[in-house]
Amino acid sequence: AQKVTQAQTEISVVEKEDVTLDCVYETRDTTYYLFWYKQPPSGELVFLIRRNSFDEQNEISGRYSWNFQKSTSSFNFTITASQVVDSAVYFCALRWNYGQNFVFGPGTRLSVLP
Amino acid sequence: KAGVTQTPRYLIKTRGQQVTLSCSPISGHRSVSWYQQTPGQGLQFLFEYFSETQRNKGNFPGRFSGRQFSNSRSEMNVSTLELGDSALYLCASSLESSLSETQYFGPGTRLLVL
């Protein structure tokens, strides 16, 4: 079965600290996509990144970076020099080739304190 | 380009009633998916529509149904409401219905069943 685990329920950091959000996924498909979304208090999910199963290159976008490792089935997300505006719930999601659409992890609530 | 819009934003209903939620996708997007978000179950996929046809369906009872119109707008209907249907209902749109497509989410409709 397809599954996404985000073991960290809540994380609190002080502004300017670096923080890593963990995501571990399970799938037997060889073709799949992984996503990260941010959900601020307003409720709307904001797309952050998409990565396919054949592309293990890490990616950096400004203060955000992602580390995809198929060997450990992980797709971790790091925010460098966190800011108060980064406070939100972050979801990791998996989409595979057959059957249901997306499966989301339970989310990690990040609080960045001033 | 306007984002995904959902109406109404908030709704209060009583048990046994039915409700219809509406979603207008981003212009040019032909796929619309619906999700239910609750504190206990997290984000769960309901169904996806593409070109007026249901493409995928999650594990929800038949009380949950949807449809898509020729202009790609979609509606979701829940009949015989139960207390457990109280949730944030999110709609997402994408250009096509394929594995690699990124879904863009609307602000959601918050439904409260009394």
Side-chain angles (χ1 to χ4, degrees), chain A residues 8-13 19-22 108-112:
Chain A
Q8 305 147 309
T9 307
E10 292 191 41
I11 301 177
S12 285
V13 298
V19 58
T20 296
L21 309 182
D22 298 332
T108 296
R109 182 177 298 277
L110 174 65
S111 298
V112 181

mmCIF file of all heavy atoms in Angstrom, chain A residues 8-13 19-22 108-112:
data_model
loop_
_atom_site.group_PDB
_atom_site.id
_atom_site.type_symbol
_atom_site.label_atom_id
_atom_site.label_comp_id
_atom_site.label_asym_id
_atom_site.label_seq_id
_atom_site.Cartn_x
_atom_site.Cartn_y
_atom_site.Cartn_z
ATOM 1 N N GLN A 8 7.386 13.952 12.490
ATOM 2 C CA GLN A 8 7.365 15.152 13.327
ATOM 3 C C GLN A 8 5.984 15.785 13.262
ATOM 4 O O GLN A 8 5.579 16.314 12.228
ATOM 5 C CB GLN A 8 8.415 16.154 12.851
ATOM 6 C CG GLN A 8 9.821 15.601 12.771
ATOM 7 C CD GLN A 8 10.593 16.248 11.632
ATOM 8 O OE1 GLN A 8 10.113 16.292 10.509
ATOM 9 N NE2 GLN A 8 11.785 16.750 11.912
ATOM 10 N N THR A 9 5.284 15.759 14.378
ATOM 11 C CA THR A 9 3.949 16.353 14.401
ATOM 12 C C THR A 9 4.047 17.875 14.474
ATOM 13 O O THR A 9 3.364 18.594 13.750
ATOM 14 C CB THR A 9 3.154 15.830 15.601
ATOM 15 O OG1 THR A 9 3.168 14.415 15.574
ATOM 16 C CG2 THR A 9 1.720 16.338 15.567
ATOM 17 N N GLU A 10 4.895 18.339 15.386
ATOM 18 C CA GLU A 10 5.077 19.786 15.566
ATOM 19 C C GLU A 10 6.541 20.098 15.812
ATOM 20 O O GLU A 10 7.239 19.338 16.485
ATOM 21 C CB GLU A 10 4.261 20.292 16.757
ATOM 22 C CG GLU A 10 2.773 20.252 16.552
ATOM 23 C CD GLU A 10 2.025 21.004 17.647
ATOM 24 O OE1 GLU A 10 2.486 22.083 18.050
ATOM 25 O OE2 GLU A 10 0.986 20.514 18.090
ATOM 26 N N ILE A 11 6.978 21.202 15.224
ATOM 27 C CA ILE A 11 8.345 21.673 15.438
ATOM 28 C C ILE A 11 8.287 23.165 15.732
ATOM 29 O O ILE A 11 7.570 23.897 15.051
ATOM 30 C CB ILE A 11 9.237 21.460 14.188
ATOM 31 C CG1 ILE A 11 9.307 19.991 13.798
ATOM 32 C CG2 ILE A 11 10.635 22.006 14.428
ATOM 33 C CD1 ILE A 11 10.111 19.753 12.527
ATOM 34 N N SER A 12 9.051 23.568 16.729
ATOM 35 C CA SER A 12 9.174 25.000 17.030
ATOM 36 C C SER A 12 10.640 25.388 16.938
ATOM 37 O O SER A 12 11.498 24.698 17.493
ATOM 38 C CB SER A 12 8.663 25.316 18.434
ATOM 39 O OG SER A 12 7.267 25.283 18.479
ATOM 40 N N VAL A 13 10.911 26.464 16.239
ATOM 41 C CA VAL A 13 12.277 26.976 16.128
ATOM 42 C C VAL A 13 12.227 28.484 16.315
ATOM 43 O O VAL A 13 11.167 29.114 16.208
ATOM 44 C CB VAL A 13 12.914 26.644 14.761
ATOM 45 C CG1 VAL A 13 13.004 25.130 14.574
ATOM 46 C CG2 VAL A 13 12.163 27.292 13.616
ATOM 47 N N VAL A 19 15.807 24.402 9.800
ATOM 48 C CA VAL A 19 14.922 23.328 10.252
ATOM 49 C C VAL A 19 14.705 22.342 9.102
ATOM 50 O O VAL A 19 14.577 22.743 7.948
ATOM 51 C CB VAL A 19 13.572 23.887 10.752
ATOM 52 C CG1 VAL A 19 12.861 24.698 9.681
ATOM 53 C CG2 VAL A 19 12.681 22.791 11.294
ATOM 54 N N THR A 20 14.691 21.060 9.446
ATOM 55 C CA THR A 20 14.456 20.013 8.450
ATOM 56 C C THR A 20 13.191 19.259 8.786
ATOM 57 O O THR A 20 13.020 18.793 9.916
ATOM 58 C CB THR A 20 15.638 19.034 8.375
ATOM 59 O OG1 THR A 20 16.799 19.739 7.917
ATOM 60 C CG2 THR A 20 15.346 17.895 7.409
ATOM 61 N N LEU A 21 12.323 19.132 7.792
ATOM 62 C CA LEU A 21 11.076 18.388 7.936
ATOM 63 C C LEU A 21 11.249 17.051 7.226
ATOM 64 O O LEU A 21 11.629 17.006 6.057
ATOM 65 C CB LEU A 21 9.912 19.173 7.313
ATOM 66 C CG LEU A 21 9.780 20.628 7.754
ATOM 67 C CD1 LEU A 21 8.561 21.268 7.094
ATOM 68 C CD2 LEU A 21 9.705 20.752 9.253
ATOM 69 N N ASP A 22 10.947 15.984 7.956
ATOM 70 C CA ASP A 22 11.186 14.646 7.414
ATOM 71 C C ASP A 22 9.955 14.092 6.707
ATOM 72 O O ASP A 22 8.818 14.335 7.120
ATOM 73 C CB ASP A 22 11.581 13.683 8.543
ATOM 74 C CG ASP A 22 12.874 14.094 9.222
ATOM 75 O OD1 ASP A 22 13.715 14.742 8.550
ATOM 76 O OD2 ASP A 22 13.040 13.775 10.413
ATOM 77 N N THR A 108 3.340 18.324 9.176
ATOM 78 C CA THR A 108 4.182 18.800 10.282
ATOM 79 C C THR A 108 3.875 20.270 10.492
ATOM 80 O O THR A 108 3.989 21.072 9.560
ATOM 81 C CB THR A 108 5.683 18.638 9.959
ATOM 82 O OG1 THR A 108 5.995 17.248 9.821
ATOM 83 C CG2 THR A 108 6.530 19.245 11.079
ATOM 84 N N ARG A 109 3.478 20.603 11.705
ATOM 85 C CA ARG A 109 3.185 22.006 12.027
ATOM 86 C C ARG A 109 4.470 22.680 12.469
ATOM 87 O O ARG A 109 5.070 22.289 13.475
ATOM 88 C CB ARG A 109 2.137 22.107 13.131
ATOM 89 C CG ARG A 109 1.760 23.553 13.467
ATOM 90 C CD ARG A 109 0.657 23.603 14.515
ATOM 91 N NE ARG A 109 -0.561 22.974 14.037
ATOM 92 C CZ ARG A 109 -1.459 23.569 13.279
ATOM 93 N NH1 ARG A 109 -1.289 24.827 12.895
ATOM 94 N NH2 ARG A 109 -2.541 22.916 12.900
ATOM 95 N N LEU A 110 4.896 23.659 11.693
ATOM 96 C CA LEU A 110 6.116 24.403 11.995
ATOM 97 C C LEU A 110 5.757 25.769 12.564
ATOM 98 O O LEU A 110 4.994 26.515 11.969
ATOM 99 C CB LEU A 110 6.952 24.584 10.731
ATOM 100 C CG LEU A 110 8.190 25.479 10.868
ATOM 101 C CD1 LEU A 110 9.201 24.849 11.836
ATOM 102 C CD2 LEU A 110 8.836 25.742 9.510
ATOM 103 N N SER A 111 6.306 26.060 13.715
ATOM 104 C CA SER A 111 6.133 27.381 14.333
ATOM 105 C C SER A 111 7.500 28.036 14.417
ATOM 106 O O SER A 111 8.421 27.470 15.018
ATOM 107 C CB SER A 111 5.527 27.262 15.731
ATOM 108 O OG SER A 111 4.243 26.686 15.667
ATOM 109 N N VAL A 112 7.613 29.185 13.797
ATOM 110 C CA VAL A 112 8.855 29.937 13.844
ATOM 111 C C VAL A 112 8.623 31.142 14.753
ATOM 112 O O VAL A 112 7.790 32.014 14.448
ATOM 113 C CB VAL A 112 9.302 30.396 12.443
ATOM 114 C CG1 VAL A 112 10.619 31.159 12.550
ATOM 115 C CG2 VAL A 112 9.440 29.203 11.512
#
